[in-house]
Every structure is written in structure tokens, then in C-alpha cells.
Amino acid sequence: MKLKALFLNCTLKKSPETSNTEAFIDQAKMMFKELD
């Protein structure tokens, strides 16, 4: 069975500053890629 994920980032920080949510999403994406 394949897992699917939807990441929604609703941050108030302006670019290029990384938001905490964006950092969390990046970590989660890496974990999903490792699991294939």
C-alpha cells in the first residue's frame, strides 16, 4: 500500500525567510522519500 501526504504551509513569514512549518515539511518530505 502506498502512502500519500498533503502538506499545507500557511505561514506569515515573508520569503526568503524559512518558516518553522516549511522546515517541518522539508523534514517530512525527506522521511517519505526514504520510505519510498
Side-chain angles (χ1 to χ4, degrees):
M1 173 174 32
K2 285 192 169 192
L3 289 175
K4 293 184 180 183
L6 173 68
F7 299 103
L8 181 62
N9 184 355
C10 298
T11 185
L12 298 176
K13 289 188 179 180
K14 294 184 179 185
S15 290
E17 188 177 357
T18 302
S19 69
N20 292 334
T21 305
E22 185 178 3
F24 173 77
I25 289 172
D26 290 343
Q27 290 290 318
K29 280 194 232 179
M30 286 186 347
M31 292 174 69
F32 271 88
K33 278 187 177 183
E34 289 175 6
L35 295 172
D36 196 26

